[in-house]
Amino acid sequence: SSKKCTSLYAAASDKETFFSERTMCDNDFIAGTDFDWATKKTTFTTDWNIYCKNEAKLSTISGVYFFGGIFGLLCSTGIFDRIGRKKGALLGSAITTLATVASAVAPNYEALLVFRIMSGFGLMINYTGSYCWIIEFAPTNLRNIASGFYPMGWSISSLMLALLGYLIDKWQHIYLAAAGICAFSTIMFIVNPLPESPRFHLVRGEEKEAKKCLLSFFRATGNRFSFEGVNLIYEKRVQNYFKQVSDFKRYPAMLKRTLLCMLCWFFVSIIGFAYTFGWSKIGSNLYTSYLLGALGGSIGNVSSIPACKLLGRKGATIFFFGGIAVFNFIAMVHVQFSESWTLEYVASLLGSISGSAAFAMVYLYTGELSPTSHRGMIMCLSSSSARVGSFLGPYVSLLYGVSDRRVPLALFAGPGRNGQSALIPLL
């Protein structure tokens, strides 16, 4: 150990407290000189010495991902209305795969930021395009189920990433493994027999193409059908971004709904990603916390299905936003159940479940409030608002290290109450 480390240890009254993050940070210890990393796993922290005063860089690595997502969503409006939902989602998946491979060979922190922006750019195009594609095929009575199970892909991927992080020691290899999963997803888009959304073609006035899509869908489901003597009734619309934006002036009710939906997406995302990047501060074991958080996300997505059927779209969404507020207020009370379990931990898990369910409901509610001709744009605007919340979420969790733990919990609870207020004026 260094002379600085030896002298401070000799002067320390509490030897156990000496071996803590606070001692390392308060005395400007330098990795490799004053201390060595005990972990066998290589991370951004160990490779590029991101710790203590530089810890905010870790949140920036997470946050710029969603910054790229905003650009992807702003571009995806034009992509979805020109090449379709399925092809747009496929394009986003391919971009994400390439950017993830590039991240595995990033030579420095700055290069990784660029590749993370590219990954977010592609992922948001893929995720939103896939949802529009699926929900436009689902009949009204099945949209609740489709919307409830769709976000489970996010929760399952979180479980897979937690497992990869536990099993793989090098962060570069984790990126390569994630790239393999992205490549598999891209291939699934190519081989998937589900055709392009016929609604997309009808809005563009392409009746012949819409009929081909429907016939392809019937063949994929094993049904026989003929359009002989059948005429489709539809209204052709001009599909471009500027025309759609100008329609907000023509339809003020649509503008009001869109703005309120954007607020809901912002609130549910800031709480969701504050949890995602804050489990290391809340729980005692990193991998267990992320595992339970991902499992809670799956429970939340599934629970939105019966809640929606019982309370309706609006009622269920308000209920789950209320759960976010209530459970985070409960988490402020300090109760120690055991060495690993506290009331804060349990209540945070329940709040995370409520957040996941609210996310699924907001997706469904926004999609059904949006007309087909403007659905791509409104979903992208709402998701762009969510990406702002996603960017801010990781920084909220940093407050655990510089303030009383009730401060971040109060900030976690606030979006739940605000989300309820934004939902009340909606239909």
Side-chain angles (χ1 to χ4, degrees):
S1 60
S2 66
K3 291 182 179 180
K4 180 195 290 187
C5 188
T6 302
S7 61
L8 286 171
Y9 179 75
S13 57
D14 188 339
K15 304 300 183 182
E16 292 185 5
T17 305
F18 175 81
F19 294 100
S20 68
E21 183 180 358
R22 181 174 294 277
T23 300
M24 180 180 73
C25 295
D26 288 349
N27 294 282
D28 297 325
F29 280 8
I30 300 174
T33 300
D34 299 310
F35 70 93
D36 294 317
W37 298 107
T39 179
K40 295 181 180 180
K41 295 181 178 293
T42 62
T43 63
F44 309 136
T45 298
T46 58
D47 282 2
W48 297 329
N49 290 329
I50 302 175
Y51 56 91
C52 294
K53 293 180 180 180
N54 294 325
E55 187 179 2
K57 285 186 175 182
L58 297 176
S59 295
T60 301
I61 289 177
S62 304
V64 296
Y65 189 84
F66 305 108
F67 187 70
I70 293 176
F71 284 104
L73 290 164
L74 294 176
C75 294
S76 60
T77 298
I79 293 173
F80 298 153
D81 290 338
R82 282 171 176 75
I83 67 174
R85 277 59 161 152
K86 181 178 181 179
K87 291 179 180 177
L90 175 60
L91 175 63
S93 182
I95 293 173
T96 303
T97 302
L98 294 175
T100 306
V101 172
S103 298
V105 294
N108 51 48
Y109 174 78
E110 290 73 18
L112 182 62
L113 290 181
V114 174
F115 297 140
R116 291 283 292 172
I117 290 173
M118 292 173 58
S119 295
F121 179 88
L123 179 69
M124 288 302 114
I125 294 176
N126 170 262
Y127 196 79
T128 308
S130 299
Y131 184 81
C132 291
W133 179 39
I134 292 171
I135 211 67
E136 289 184 358
F137 266 107
T140 304
N141 63 317
L142 295 179
R143 284 180 184 171
N144 173 31
I145 298 175
S147 185
F149 279 102
Y150 180 73
M152 283 191 66
W154 198 283
S155 300
I156 293 172
S157 66
S158 297
L159 285 170
M160 294 176 68
L161 287 175
L163 181 62
L164 290 176
Y166 180 77
L167 297 175
I168 301 176
D169 290 338
K170 287 185 173 291
W171 65 267
Q172 294 93 336
H173 295 168
I174 295 176
Y175 267 111
L176 287 176
I181 297 173
C182 292
F184 175 78
S185 174
T186 303
I187 294 172
M188 289 297 99
F189 272 100
I190 297 174
V191 302
N192 194 322
L194 192 65
E196 181 57 76
S197 166
R199 293 172 183 259
F200 160 72
H201 289 297
L202 288 176
V203 169
R204 292 168 58 89
E206 300 170 349
E207 182 176 347
K208 186 177 179 180
E209 294 299 323
K211 288 182 177 180
K212 285 184 179 180
C213 288
L214 288 170
L215 288 174
S216 178
F217 179 66
F218 290 137
R219 286 194 296 270
T221 56
N223 294 311
R224 295 182 178 181
F225 185 80
S226 173
F227 277 102
E228 185 177 350
V230 176
N231 294 317
L232 299 179
I233 300 175
Y234 60 93
E235 180 182 352
K236 181 179 179 181
R237 292 179 178 267
V238 178
Q239 289 293 98
N240 66 70
Y241 188 79
F242 297 105
K243 176 63 170 63
Q244 290 175 331
V245 171
S246 65
D247 284 343
F248 281 131
K249 183 176 181 181
R250 185 179 177 185
Y251 304 106
M254 184 172 68
L255 173 61
K256 175 185 175 182
R257 291 196 298 268
T258 301
L259 292 175
L260 290 173
C261 286
M262 289 174 68
L263 280 175
C264 292
W265 282 61
F266 171 79
F267 292 135
V268 77
S269 291
I270 196 171
I271 178 64
F273 286 93
Y275 273 129
T276 299
F277 295 98
W279 286 120
S280 60
K281 311 289 185 182
I282 300 173
S284 59
N285 183 283
L286 178 65
Y287 295 105
T288 301
S289 297
Y290 275 99
L291 179 67
L292 292 175
L295 182 61
S298 299
I299 295 173
N301 293 325
V302 173
S303 66
S304 69
I305 298 174
C308 182
K309 186 174 182 180
L310 181 65
L311 303 174
R313 268 63 164 164
K314 181 177 179 178
T317 311
I318 292 176
F319 172 77
F320 287 121
F321 267 110
I324 295 173
V326 170
F327 288 123
N328 278 284
F329 277 124
I330 292 175
M332 294 182 187
V333 181
H334 180 68
V335 178
Q336 190 82 31
F337 297 126
S338 66
E339 185 177 342
S340 301
W341 290 88
T342 63
L343 178 61
E344 177 186 0
Y345 191 23
V346 174
S348 294
L349 288 171
L350 294 174
S352 178
I353 291 174
S354 298
S356 297
F359 180 73
M361 290 307 310
V362 165
Y363 241 103
L364 174 62
Y365 202 25
T366 303
E368 292 196 339
L369 287 176
S370 308
T372 301
S373 57
H374 293 71
R375 182 172 292 119
M377 181 192 67
I378 293 175
M379 292 294 289
C380 290
L381 288 175
S382 297
S383 193
S384 295
S385 176
R387 300 293 69 78
V388 177
S390 303
F391 182 85
L392 296 175
Y395 290 96
V396 174
S397 62
L398 290 178
L399 293 175
Y400 269 98
V402 297
S403 67
D404 186 275
R405 66 179 187 83
R406 287 168 291 189
V407 173
L409 289 172
L411 291 176
F412 289 175
R417 186 64 189 91
N418 292 334
Q420 285 184 309
S421 301
L423 282 163
I424 292 174
L426 285 171
L427 295 177

